[in-house]
Amino acid sequence: MGRVSYLDNSQVVIQMKDIVKKFGDFTANDHINLTVHKGEVHAILGENGAGKSTMMNVLCGLYKPTSGQIFIKGKEVQFSSPKDAIDIGIGMVHQHFMLIQPFTVTENIILGMEPTKGLVVDKATARKKVLELSERYNMKVDPDAKIEDISVGMQQRVEILKVLYRGAETLILDEPTASLTPQEIEGLMEIIRNLTADGKSIILITHKLKEITASSDNCTIIRQGKYIRTVKVDEVSENDLAAMMVGRDVNFKVEKKEMKPGEIVLDVKDIHARDYRNVEILKGLSINVRKGEIVGLAGVDGNGQTELVEILTGLRKADSGSVTLLGKDVYNKSPKETFESGISSIPADRQKHGLILDFSVEDNMILQHFDEEPFASKKFLNRKAIREHASKLMDKFDIRPRGTEGHPAGTLSGGNQQKVIISREVTNDKELLIAVNPTRGLDVGAIEFVHKYLVEQRNKNRAILLVSFELDEIMSLSDRIEVIFDGQITGSVPGKDADEKELGFMMAGGKKA
């Protein structure tokens, strides 16, 4: 379905003028400007660490600007807390959801604004209102389901309903598709269309150029904290947007030479495993990866990819089958044993399995080697060597802002957290690299860099298993594509012969012609 605009140019709902936000000597926002109209989808585009989230945190009352002005419907406002922004009709759905896992959908949505009957919470009224909201915007949710039991896409709907329940007229969506499947992304775009049709305004923070061109009316580009330009989306190309964002032309095509794969590095045979519901999810899956080869695992989320990766990295036990690495048995080994055997991984959930957020960036970069030379000597950490190592990786992988090696990893933007993990894992120099959604949350310039680096590792005769829900990424990087459906490999296609429609057909359970 194409983009339908409900933009009302006659009504400006938000203006940010010359916003400056400093953290000590570091300037995150340097005279930023933004104008949003009623019924508009307005995209904010910028590299990782460009200051997009800081800008939106100022708008939703989390940060106070160092200088500058904010106008809501022509009236200047000053927020002292997020509650002030919520009260005036601004709601933000953060990239990493803020939901209480054991609580139900309804309990999360009404939290802090519970309707009461006497001295008790009126759950029946709350449930009814949640259902009315979800039906109004075609966001089907189970009001009685616990958050821990629903998908990421459904959790996002809960976050959107939470801000709507509080009366939001302008919704800020921060990297809303970073963890969604293609089907969930299309569902989100439909929700956005329903919201703007009702007169809501959407501010969309995203790196995905296709989503901007498919959903947005206008786009404001910022680079290194500075306002660059605001453009009408239907008047520019994706290449134009990419060039404005990074300040140079971006090559979307992955260049890689033909290589003849070597011996088998990873050999997985007849793996059976169960998911968290104790339902069989892997049903005799077999796959291998050779030296000098990128094997892409293509499939709709929920067909066993997560469980397979967790088994290979020691986070989950299989029921039966075999896994060998260069002929050595690594079946059902611990995470430490799998790593020492020669498996390095970029995990799907960077905050849960990739980083210790309270640890410094430099400490996160040596997690697997903290007790080894040159980072430790006689059980004492060598801080100078650790910081020098971190500084080199931050320069090489363009992790921003510079000079934050000693800061907690949790203070970095999502994209820069991803870069910390990638920098660590690709330099571990293991025989097999498992890369799960490696460019999730990265801007086009960073994606270009990561793709080149993965190909460079493959050219050095390393084996790479790429698990990604971005079909374009699978098709452009893979030497061989294996399709997973219902816990089994259902087809194999050489990367150079890949066809998007054929892969989509196979991912839905169809058999290769």
Side-chain angles (χ1 to χ4, degrees):
M1 183 176 177
R3 175 163 57 93
V4 179
S5 177
Y6 298 95
L7 169 61
D8 179 358
N9 276 307
S10 66
Q11 190 171 349
V12 174
V13 292
I14 289 174
Q15 272 189 301
M16 300 178 78
K17 291 187 175 180
D18 287 325
I19 295 294
V20 175
K21 177 58 184 174
K22 294 186 176 184
F23 298 93
D25 294 331
F26 174 68
T27 303
N29 289 160
D30 189 357
H31 295 90
I32 295 286
N33 296 290
L34 175 69
T35 301
V36 180
H37 298 81
K38 183 179 176 67
E40 176 183 11
V41 180
H42 195 117
I44 309 293
L45 183 64
E47 296 176 275
N48 301 122
K52 304 183 299 296
S53 294
T54 299
M55 175 184 174
M56 291 300 103
N57 283 332
V58 167
L59 181 57
C60 73
L62 274 169
Y63 296 156
K64 289 184 180 179
T66 305
S67 63
Q69 298 170 288
I70 299 174
F71 296 86
I72 306 297
K73 295 181 180 177
K75 181 182 177 183
E76 186 172 2
V77 296
Q78 293 181 337
F79 300 140
S80 58
S81 72
K83 186 178 184 303
D84 292 343
I86 291 167
D87 289 344
I88 213 164
I90 299 173
M92 185 166 178
V93 177
H94 295 268
Q95 182 179 351
H96 299 291
F97 304 147
M98 299 181 179
L99 299 172
I100 300 174
Q101 295 292 314
F103 281 21
T104 66
V105 166
T106 298
E107 288 166 345
N108 271 278
I109 290 171
I110 67 171
L111 192 62
M113 292 187 66
E114 298 90 342
T116 56
K117 187 181 284 185
L119 296 175
V120 298
V121 175
D122 186 354
K123 289 188 177 180
T125 298
R127 188 180 186 278
K128 183 181 177 184
K129 186 171 181 182
V130 168
L131 280 172
E132 287 172 353
L133 272 175
S134 66
E135 288 169 8
R136 179 176 178 180
Y137 297 108
N138 197 24
M139 282 187 278
K140 294 181 176 62
V141 296
D142 178 357
D144 305 314
K146 289 187 176 181
I147 297 299
E148 61 194 3
D149 295 331
I150 63 177
S151 68
V152 173
M154 203 58 67
Q155 289 181 41
Q156 185 179 70
R157 293 184 180 194
V158 175
E159 286 281 22
I160 294 172
L161 287 167
K162 194 164 70 173
V163 297
L164 290 172
Y165 183 84
R166 285 153 178 74
E169 291 298 320
T170 298
L171 286 79
I172 303 167
L173 307 181
D174 188 3
E175 298 290 352
T177 63
S179 304
L180 303 187
T181 65
Q183 291 80 1
E184 288 172 332
I185 290 170
E186 181 50 44
L188 175 64
M189 293 300 146
E190 183 64 35
I191 289 167
I192 288 173
R193 287 189 283 267
N194 293 336
L195 289 167
T196 53
D198 195 45
K200 308 291 187 189
S201 302
I202 306 292
I203 299 176
L204 182 67
I205 306 173
T206 183
H207 298 109
K208 298 185 178 180
L209 303 177
K210 283 184 179 178
E211 288 166 18
I212 291 176
T213 56
S215 68
S216 303
D217 299 291
N218 294 301
C219 178
T220 291
I221 299 101
I222 62 175
R223 188 165 69 238
Q224 295 182 4
K226 292 182 170 64
Y227 173 80
I228 300 299
R229 191 177 167 192
T230 297
V231 297
K232 291 185 188 310
V233 170
D234 58 9
E235 295 179 357
V236 293
S237 68
E238 289 182 21
N239 288 68
D240 294 333
L241 289 170
M244 284 186 279
M245 176 172 63
V246 301
R248 60 175 175 82
D249 289 333
V250 177
N251 183 11
F252 290 97
K253 186 173 174 17
V254 178
E255 304 288 347
K256 67 179 196 292
K257 65 183 181 181
E258 286 283 334
M259 277 188 69
K260 186 176 180 180
E263 66 177 307
I264 292 176
V265 175
L266 175 71
D267 197 9
V268 178
K269 289 181 178 175
D270 198 27
I271 285 289
H272 290 258
R274 298 177 181 274
D275 65 11
Y276 70 93
R277 301 164 300 175
N278 203 34
V279 174
E280 188 174 37
I281 188 79
L282 294 177
K283 305 172 182 179
L285 181 143
S286 298
I287 191 171
N288 64 60
V289 188
R290 297 173 178 271
K291 283 187 176 181
E293 178 182 47
I294 298 176
V295 172
L297 188 62
V300 177
D301 190 17
N303 279 280
Q305 299 96 316
T306 298
E307 289 77 13
L308 174 63
V309 170
E310 288 181 350
I311 288 167
L312 297 179
T313 54
L315 294 173
R316 178 187 294 268
K317 301 293 185 189
D319 293 333
S320 63
S322 70
V323 183
T324 59
L325 193 78
L326 290 172
K328 180 182 178 182
D329 180 23
V330 290
Y331 175 74
N332 282 354
K333 300 296 185 183
S334 70
K336 189 172 190 296
E337 287 172 321
T338 59
F339 177 78
E340 290 176 348
S341 297
I343 298 176
S344 188
S345 68
I346 300 166
D349 189 330
R350 57 177 164 247
Q351 295 202 340
K352 188 176 181 180
H353 295 134
L355 298 168
I356 301 176
L357 297 176
D358 291 335
F359 279 22
S360 66
V361 172
E362 62 189 35
D363 285 347
N364 271 281
M365 286 175 165
I366 60 158
L367 283 180
Q368 300 106 324
H369 304 288
F370 70 92
D371 57 348
E372 300 171 11
E373 293 279 2
F375 308 124
S377 178
K378 297 179 181 178
K379 297 186 179 180
F380 289 99
L381 292 175
N382 182 343
R383 279 288 158 204
K384 184 172 182 290
I386 294 170
R387 184 147 296 187
E388 285 176 354
H389 174 72
S391 182
K392 285 178 185 175
L393 291 184
M394 292 184 81
D395 285 341
K396 183 170 185 177
F397 287 84
D398 194 24
I399 298 167
R400 302 180 190 178
R402 295 289 198 277
T404 53
E405 298 95 323
H407 293 208
T411 63
L412 297 182
S413 69
N416 279 290
Q417 290 178 14
Q418 187 76 353
K419 288 183 183 180
V420 170
I421 296 169
I422 292 168
S423 71
R424 179 186 69 213
E425 298 302 328
V426 299
T427 53
N428 273 331
D429 201 27
K430 298 294 183 180
E431 285 80 7
L432 173 71
L433 172 64
I434 301 173
V436 186
N437 295 320
T439 57
R440 179 168 70 90
L442 299 185
D443 60 66
V444 290
I447 290 171
E448 179 190 38
F449 177 85
V450 171
H451 284 177
K452 283 182 178 178
Y453 210 87
L454 288 174
V455 171
E456 181 183 311
Q457 295 300 298
R458 166 257 205 188
N459 292 347
K460 290 178 178 177
N461 232 17
R462 205 169 176 188
I464 298 172
L465 176 61
L466 172 66
V467 182
S468 176
F469 300 130
E470 299 284 350
L471 201 51
D472 288 345
E473 184 166 65
I474 289 279
M475 291 173 66
S476 62
L477 282 176
S478 303
D479 298 296
R480 171 164 52 96
I481 300 172
E482 301 287 334
V483 179
I484 185 171
F485 176 76
D486 195 27
Q488 294 178 311
I489 299 298
T490 57
S492 181
V493 181
K496 58 183 173 52
D497 299 332
D499 175 81
E500 188 172 355
K501 287 186 178 178
E502 182 186 25
L503 283 174
F505 174 68
M506 293 166 67
M507 286 163 62
K511 298 294 182 183
K512 184 181 175 183

